[in-house]
Amino acid sequence: MRILLAGGAGYIGSHVALVLLEAGHDVLVVDDFSNSAHAAIDRVQHLTDRTVELIECDLSDLATSRAALRDQEFDAVIHLAGLKAVGESVAEPARYYRTNLTATLNLLEIMAEHGVNRLVFSSSATVYAPAAEGVENLDESQPAGHGITNPYGWTKAMNEQIIRDIQVSRPELEAVLLRYFNPVGAHPSGRIGEDPSGIPNNLMPFVAQVAIGRRERLAVFGDEYPTHDGTGVRDYIHVMDLAEGHLAALDHLRPGVATYNLGTGVGQSVFDVVRAFSDASGREIPHGVVAPRAGDVARAVADPSKANRELDWKAKRSFADACRDTWTWQSQNPNGYTGG
Ligand code: UD1
């Protein structure tokens, strides 16, 4: 198939592009490079020895996007384009709603104009309400779309709803909503990986920057949660496993909207992450406990059995693999794509 990969130059998008190319698909990346690098695409081409077609445009601008895509043919859309910084979304909610919702509406419109019915959407475990007492791992039947603590998370829940409603009006639409848990790791070559701008919000890139000496010390956000060591527990999934989940979703599309968790089913605490990364890198990770971060939950771990069963997909890589590959990326590219 020829796949339109919206947001294909970003951290997750570049790994999805690589996996699609290696599976024999053609890839048309649409990206505005607001938070991504051309070098990521260059390196994907180099790693796969394939050509990625690229259109640089902002999908929240309908007229420009429509014109840019007018002569393009594609069989399916994988939509990962959007703004994703939680703190920034609290400070600039209108920009988050405008960008993230409009891009989805515009893509759906352009798909209809091109007669394209296949869509894989990048959603997030952030759409789940905090787990009720007694619930260990979250499956897709858990309540979602309320109790979300920031506009970024709301845009994911609202985009899910937009896709469901449009599917009702266009029953031929075949959509999959992928709820990512916490993507980490990098391609094992160390050539592509996560390159956050500014101070990383997320744990893994922050830990990696402490290990390389770019940041002094990790602030652990709270150690009194009801977890095995008091720190927050998350389901960290290797980005290559996540990328393969998109390929599996593409292969299992059928009319309707299906929702799948992409996670491992295994939880790691912040202290577990510090220990594993220290082992992988051979470096000390200086850290100290500070107050909990507003909006954080104690535990968010997937029950991935629906995706395992119905998509014939499973996260295969270990957390140690993810730490090793993050370290390879971080140590070969200490300043990301731009630092040389
Ligand atoms: C966060 C977002 C979520 C988003 C996801 C994207 C919040 C409340 N949630 O998830 O909406 O989809 O990123 O990847 O921001 N931690 C520290 N010190 C740090 C950073 C994190 O102790 O400097 C802890 C957190 O408290 C948490 C764990 O590490 O327990 C993971 O944090 P993070 O990587 O930010 O992911 P989430 O909070 O799960």
Side-chain angles (χ1 to χ4, degrees):
M1 286 195 278
R2 185 159 193 255
I3 318 286
L4 190 163
L5 183 58
Y11 168 43
I12 297 170
S14 54
H15 291 82
V16 173
L18 183 139
V19 163
L20 291 173
L21 291 165
E22 285 187 337
H25 295 293
D26 293 328
V27 176
L28 168 64
V29 165
V30 179
D31 205 297
D32 68 355
F33 293 95
S34 59
N35 186 27
S36 54
H38 285 89
I41 299 292
D42 297 341
R43 292 182 183 190
V44 166
Q45 297 189 113
H46 196 252
L47 284 167
T48 56
D49 207 12
R50 296 273 317 271
T51 303
V52 174
E53 286 172 81
L54 178 62
I55 291 183
E56 189 163 344
C57 93
D58 173 0
L59 284 163
S60 61
D61 179 337
L62 180 58
T64 309
S65 305
R66 189 184 260 147
L69 291 167
R70 186 177 302 125
D71 300 327
Q72 297 291 336
E73 285 181 14
F74 46 95
D75 305 292
V77 171
I78 300 182
H79 173 26
L80 309 89
L83 302 172
K84 58 156 200 174
V86 170
E88 192 178 71
S89 80
V90 175
E92 299 174 68
R95 181 159 80 95
Y96 268 68
Y97 286 115
R98 192 178 307 115
T99 306
N100 288 4
L101 302 185
T102 311
T104 302
L105 290 166
N106 291 349
L107 262 176
L108 283 160
E109 181 127 351
I110 292 167
M111 285 173 68
E113 290 165 3
H114 286 248
V116 173
N117 294 323
R118 302 188 183 107
L119 174 67
V120 175
F121 175 66
S122 152
S123 189
S124 168
T126 203
V127 302
Y128 287 113
E133 205 152 321
V135 174
E136 281 275 299
N137 293 8
L138 297 159
D139 68 30
E140 294 81 352
S141 70
Q142 285 298 310
H146 61 87
I148 298 171
T149 54
N150 59 80
Y152 156 77
W154 278 112
T155 69
K156 289 293 182 192
M158 289 178 182
N159 271 329
E160 287 197 356
Q161 191 60 39
I162 287 170
I163 292 165
R164 283 194 202 95
D165 289 341
I166 289 183
Q167 199 281 329
V168 171
S169 76
R170 281 183 60 198
E172 65 277 19
L173 195 64
E174 306 179 355
V176 163
L177 312 174
L178 297 177
R179 292 180 176 161
Y180 307 162
F181 280 67
N182 293 57
V184 293
H187 187 265
S189 66
R191 297 296 292 154
I192 55 172
E194 185 170 16
D195 182 16
S197 56
I199 301 169
N201 299 301
N202 297 115
L203 179 63
M204 193 67 156
F206 199 102
V207 166
Q209 291 191 5
V210 172
I212 202 80
R214 239 174 109 178
R215 315 252 162 228
E216 224 166 85
R217 118 198 225 101
L218 169 74
V220 176
F221 297 148
D223 67 349
E224 290 181 14
Y225 286 110
T227 61
H228 65 269
D229 61 18
T231 65
V233 168
R234 296 292 183 274
D235 184 335
Y236 297 93
I237 174 171
H238 195 296
V239 66
M240 288 299 295
D241 282 325
L242 190 81
E244 289 169 6
H246 293 69
L247 186 64
L250 210 53
D251 288 342
H252 289 81
L253 284 167
R254 56 182 183 283
V257 180
T259 306
Y260 295 102
N261 286 339
L262 293 185
T264 67
V266 179
Q268 315 280 344
S269 73
V270 178
F271 289 150
D272 292 336
V273 171
V274 168
R275 223 174 358 255
F277 204 87
S278 189
D279 289 347
S281 63
R283 303 279 179 99
E284 289 281 308
I285 316 285
H287 60 279
V289 177
V290 301
R293 179 171 66 181
D296 274 359
V297 295
R299 175 184 166 88
V301 178
D303 176 343
S305 50
K306 187 177 174 215
N308 297 164
R309 203 171 53 240
E310 294 183 12
L311 298 181
D312 196 18
W313 164 90
K314 199 175 184 335
K316 296 185 297 223
R317 295 154 180 95
S318 69
F319 186 62
D321 295 337
C323 291
R324 180 200 61 209
D325 295 338
T326 299
W327 181 241
T328 305
W329 155 255
Q330 183 70 63
S331 47
Q332 289 180 14
N333 307 270
N335 296 306
Y337 289 112
T338 47

